[in-house]
Amino acid sequence: MDSWTDTLRFAFQPVVNLTTSGVAGLEILARPETGDVLAEARRDPELDGRLAVLAFRAAARKEALLPLYVNVFAGTLADLGGLTPLHDAVRAAGRLPWEVTIDVGPPYTHVPQQALLEAIGSLRDQGFRISADGVGDGDVPLRLLTDMAPDLVKLDASMLARPAAVRAMRTLCDQMAALLCVEGVETELQCGSARAAGAQLAQGELFAPPARLPAAEVYVPPRSTGLAVTPRSGPSVREFVRPAALLPATASAGQVRALLTGSPEVSGVLLVDTNGVPVRSVHRSRFLLSMSGRYGHALYSDRPAAKLGDPPRTVGVDATAWEVLDVVAVGGRDRTSDDVAVVDRYGRCVGVVRLADLVRALAETRVEEAAGLNPLTRLPGSDAITGEVDRRIADGRTFALTWLDVDHFKQVNDGAGFAAGDELIRSVGRLLQHAASDSTRVGHIGGDDFLVLADPEGLSPLAVSVLDAPWSAGGRPVTLSLATVLCEPGSVTDHRQAASCLAPLKKAAKSLSGASWVLGRAGLPGHEILRGVEAATAPAECAVAEPGRG
């Protein structure tokens, strides 16, 4: 063995799930006491490959059951065409390849891209998962990143100063069915920014520094707000995935017992076939109860553990939290505490979700949503709408943002009374909700002011419904004013700029007589009068036109 191995040590840094606050895996970091073996490994693929094997063996000696992240340079994979020695080492240690993620790191310059993609394909065929490391601060081409189709993208923390870029990367990750991790998080502010931008995972000194022993506990700042949840879909199951305890389908009951008794944090074991597909689910309490009964150990110890398991409950990685609850609801009550296996598009287990995590998060979400609802209309406030505006901007979607209010509302309240005014506001809110399509978001931002976020094609029917309704308060006729800004991709950078574009349109709408509606386009001067009459000239009322049509 080369002398440099005598002074080479390894440290472990946890990868943290920002939703569950649990450890999702351990990255193994080489820490040479002398020399710069990493610089040598960058130039020597054989050496880099040996480092990967040594890193894994160092983790195996610590008996870490968590998923592992092993660093390899992109040039190494392109040159070697895979990591057969690492695959052999994983199998020899009794671990499964899909419990190991290969962190493919820069530099990518001058690396033969086709050879790299073929090597990544070979690793996937062996069962390994792939992470693209150093994104944002490295030299990975965007085209290559999409061709790699990684399971995880690791983004440098310096990108948190550019939230639009992080949100765009989250959108790209969703398209690739990948998770987004932010590296190098050192402050609670950075952690909050990572969460707000949509990152599901993170690592850095804030949570736990690299250490010679795997961290038993990590610090994760509490969430300052609830999860961002769309009304009909709910949060993604990806946000709740925990590491799974996996054993081969042929494992004996004695092997499962040894794993459970040695790892009190493990709530159950999944038995998987040679492809990583769950075939049986072993629940901790039920299994240990069977083993601890009279003659239990003698009866079951050498028998297949599958005999004491149940059919696994599984959901796809694209499922929502509500869909997981539907899966849990099917079957006997004695299985409500079972872990639910999360599987990828090949049916391989990528982790588990626990019912307690889902119930806690969804309950917090509902409390947060309730706190943000307007008590008069039970509609969400401005935060919900502006957050959705930012998501649509990050997604590159065209949208229409509309402000709506009651004309001369103070006079309505003074003349008809506040009770009649409140009932009018409730009626407007009910009609907006009834007329809204699935993609439309309606918010009540206070007083007589409403915000409506819609796709352009869904806006005109809603506007016509609202403007043509015979509004009144205490027997007095009432009219409404609408102002809409149409935002195409690239025309605004965030919700603040969209609101800034909307402000002069609101003023223009209020200057018209009768029910009014004006439409402007972000980044372009002027506006169209779609409904209403100008006080000076008093022409006939304009017909409502489709947004975008002259």
Side-chain angles (χ1 to χ4, degrees):
M1 187 69 69
D2 293 341
S3 60
W4 57 265
T5 61
D6 297 332
T7 60
L8 183 63
R9 301 291 183 267
F10 291 93
F12 304 90
Q13 185 170 46
V15 178
V16 174
N17 185 312
L18 292 176
T19 299
T20 65
S21 298
V23 179
L26 295 172
E27 182 175 356
I28 315 166
L29 304 169
R31 290 290 186 265
E33 295 181 0
T34 60
D36 191 352
V37 70
L38 293 180
E40 296 178 38
R42 188 179 292 112
R43 297 187 296 267
D44 185 347
E46 293 287 348
L47 174 58
D48 194 31
R50 291 174 63 189
L51 275 177
V53 173
L54 291 172
F56 171 78
R57 287 175 176 166
R61 285 195 298 270
K62 305 296 183 183
E63 298 183 352
L65 292 176
L66 289 165
L68 302 174
Y69 292 77
V70 178
N71 292 291
V72 179
F73 291 112
T76 296
L77 295 181
D79 189 84
L80 299 182
L83 296 171
T84 301
L86 177 61
H87 182 265
D88 294 341
V90 170
R91 288 295 191 181
R95 297 296 295 267
L96 302 170
W98 37 90
E99 298 177 87
V100 178
T101 298
I102 307 299
D103 266 354
V104 185
Y108 290 87
T109 304
H110 307 308
V111 173
Q113 294 189 7
Q114 188 58 39
L116 174 60
L117 294 175
E118 290 175 0
I120 288 174
S122 175
L123 290 169
R124 279 208 173 92
D125 290 341
Q126 293 171 357
F128 291 109
R129 303 190 186 282
I130 303 299
S131 167
D133 203 353
V135 176
D137 195 40
D139 60 344
V140 55
L142 190 58
R143 185 182 65 181
L144 177 60
L145 180 64
T146 56
D147 288 344
M148 288 170 62
D151 302 284
L152 178 71
V153 171
K154 286 191 172 183
L155 197 65
D156 188 82
S158 63
M159 297 301 295
L160 292 175
R162 302 163 179 82
V166 183
R167 289 194 296 269
M169 183 55 67
R170 169 60 195 268
T171 300
L172 177 60
C173 285
D174 289 344
Q175 294 295 318
M176 298 189 298
L179 295 175
L180 179 62
C181 175
V182 176
E183 295 184 287
V185 175
E186 298 180 351
T187 67
E188 294 194 9
L189 182 60
Q190 286 182 320
C191 180
S193 298
R195 278 174 165 154
Q200 297 109 328
L201 304 173
Q203 58 186 132
E205 296 279 344
L206 174 66
F207 312 109
R212 294 291 173 82
L213 293 176
E217 295 182 358
V218 294
Y219 167 73
V220 181
R223 300 180 69 93
S224 58
T225 60
L227 294 170
V229 181
T230 56
R232 296 171 178 82
S233 61
S236 168
V237 72
R238 295 169 183 271
E239 299 180 26
F240 304 95
V241 173
R242 290 176 174 266
L246 305 177
L247 284 176
T250 55
S252 68
Q255 290 174 297
V256 172
R257 182 177 183 275
L259 190 157
L260 292 175
T261 55
S263 307
E265 74 282 2
V266 174
S267 57
V269 176
L270 288 173
L271 305 179
V272 297
D273 65 15
T274 55
N275 294 316
V277 177
V279 294
R280 300 294 282 180
S281 173
V282 179
H283 184 268
R284 180 187 187 91
S285 298
R286 294 198 299 274
F287 175 83
L288 292 179
L289 184 62
S290 298
M291 292 290 287
S292 62
R294 191 177 185 184
Y295 310 122
H297 188 272
L299 283 173
Y300 299 117
S301 182
D302 296 326
R303 297 183 65 185
K307 297 286 186 180
L308 296 175
D310 299 289
R313 291 175 165 177
T314 62
V315 295
V317 293
D318 296 322
T320 67
W322 294 109
E323 289 170 322
V324 178
L325 293 182
D326 290 340
V327 171
V328 172
V330 176
R333 293 183 179 180
D334 60 327
R335 296 199 62 191
T336 55
S337 62
D338 286 20
D339 292 342
V340 177
V342 181
V343 297
D344 63 14
R345 59 183 179 274
Y346 303 109
R348 301 179 306 193
C349 180
V350 300
V352 295
V353 290
R354 296 178 181 174
L355 178 63
D357 288 338
L358 299 181
V359 172
R360 184 184 307 110
L362 292 173
E364 290 173 354
T365 298
R366 289 297 177 250
V367 170
E368 194 70 32
E369 286 179 347
L373 295 180
N374 187 286
L376 185 62
T377 59
R378 308 304 295 168
L379 288 171
S382 60
D383 286 348
I385 303 301
T386 56
E388 180 63 20
V389 167
D390 285 337
R391 281 188 286 275
R392 296 195 186 193
I393 292 172
D395 291 344
R397 294 172 58 182
T398 298
F399 62 88
L401 182 63
T402 298
W403 162 87
L404 174 152
D405 82 343
V406 178
D407 294 327
H408 311 297
F409 184 64
K410 185 179 184 304
Q411 297 177 21
V412 172
N413 262 349
D414 291 344
F418 72 88
D422 286 351
E423 181 55 37
L424 172 63
I425 296 302
R426 281 192 287 264
S427 298
V428 172
R430 284 194 294 268
L431 190 147
L432 286 172
Q433 285 181 294
H434 178 75
S437 65
D438 287 347
S439 61
T440 300
R441 301 287 178 263
V442 178
H444 183 190
I445 59 177
D448 62 324
D449 291 310
F450 294 84
L451 276 180
V452 179
L453 176 63
D455 294 331
E457 60 272 15
L459 179 61
S460 288
L462 183 146
V464 169
S465 298
V466 172
L467 293 176
D468 286 352
W471 299 108
S472 65
R476 301 164 181 259
V478 173
T479 59
L480 306 182
S481 293
L482 280 73
T484 298
V485 59
L486 191 65
C487 300
E488 297 183 344
S491 62
V492 291
T493 58
D494 58 22
H495 69 270
R496 296 177 185 84
Q497 191 172 4
S500 178
C501 295
L502 191 57
L505 300 176
K506 172 181 176 180
K507 184 177 180 180
K510 298 300 288 184
S511 70
L512 302 175
S513 298
S516 61
W517 183 21
V518 301
L519 170 72
R521 289 170 171 77
L524 298 177
H527 61 268
E528 301 174 56
I529 299 176
L530 303 180
R531 179 75 70 95
V533 294
E534 297 185 72
T537 57
E541 189 175 80
C542 300
V544 174
E546 289 284 343
R549 296 182 183 178

